[in-house]
Amino acid sequence: MAGLLDDPQVLRELIMDHYQYPRHHALKEDSTYASLHMASDSCIDDITVQSKIVDDKIEDICFDGVACTIATASTSMMTELLVGKTIEEAILIIDNYYAMIDEKEYDPEIIQEAIALKGVSKQANRIKCATIGWKAIRQMIDERENNS
């Protein structure tokens, strides 16, 4: 798998798959979900991210709205990576994702197919797109931790 994730065509296909068929792409009418609206001032990205965190575990994350390819794909990948994880595991994944985006040392095994977005770091105008959903979930985790 590691070799495949070095192939630009495979990475492009992963991004397009998550854009065309985003996972967890429907908001819930459920008051047990935290909800956060995020909008970009530099792109069309305007999404709402919801999360259901029970005890120390992320039971569900979903999102909806209008977003570019990179924002949709990265948020879809994020939902796949974080659902079912503990808060501690989720923070480790989020930190590694941001390290990749910031061109710092990270563990590709931890971020799995989100590595498809590693090229975003070379396009400053796309970094906000690649992090909009991630910022939302991190903010929800932080708010929950601060209110506990």
Side-chain angles (χ1 to χ4, degrees):
M1 180 76 165
L4 287 175
L5 294 179
D6 289 328
D7 181 339
Q9 184 61 34
V10 171
L11 300 181
R12 201 170 9 266
E13 287 173 13
L14 272 171
I15 291 168
M16 290 310 297
D17 181 57
H18 276 273
Y19 173 66
Q20 293 172 330
Y21 309 102
R23 283 48 153 198
H24 305 271
H25 192 240
L27 298 179
K28 308 286 194 226
E29 295 285 331
D30 185 336
S31 63
T32 63
Y33 280 72
S35 185
L36 189 60
H37 175 255
M38 304 291 283
S40 173
D41 54 1
S42 61
C43 191
I44 65 165
D45 304 334
D46 189 333
I47 63 171
T48 298
V49 178
Q50 292 180 320
S51 66
K52 183 173 185 175
I53 302 172
V54 178
D55 297 324
D56 189 38
K57 190 171 187 177
I58 299 174
E59 287 194 357
D60 194 18
I61 304 170
C62 50
F63 72 104
D64 200 4
V66 176
C68 71
T69 303
I70 297 297
T72 301
S74 72
T75 304
S76 174
M77 289 175 185
M78 176 203 70
T79 65
E80 290 276 279
L81 280 168
L82 300 184
V83 170
K85 300 293 191 289
T86 65
I87 296 298
E88 186 177 331
E89 291 168 330
I91 289 171
L92 179 65
I93 293 166
I94 293 165
D95 288 349
N96 270 271
Y97 180 79
Y98 274 105
M100 176 190 72
I101 295 294
D102 294 338
E103 296 185 301
K104 295 181 178 161
E105 193 172 319
Y106 67 95
D107 185 343
E109 295 293 319
I110 291 174
I111 60 170
Q112 299 176 29
E113 67 183 14
I115 199 166
L117 296 155
K118 65 183 175 182
V120 167
S121 62
K122 309 241 184 297
Q123 304 168 357
N125 60 325
R126 305 302 277 165
I127 290 173
K128 285 183 182 178
C129 305
T131 58
I132 192 167
W134 295 79
K135 283 182 181 170
I137 191 65
R138 184 58 195 251
Q139 188 174 330
M140 286 188 268
I141 289 170
D142 290 347
E143 286 173 7
R144 186 178 187 285
E145 297 292 291
N146 291 336
N147 292 330
S148 295

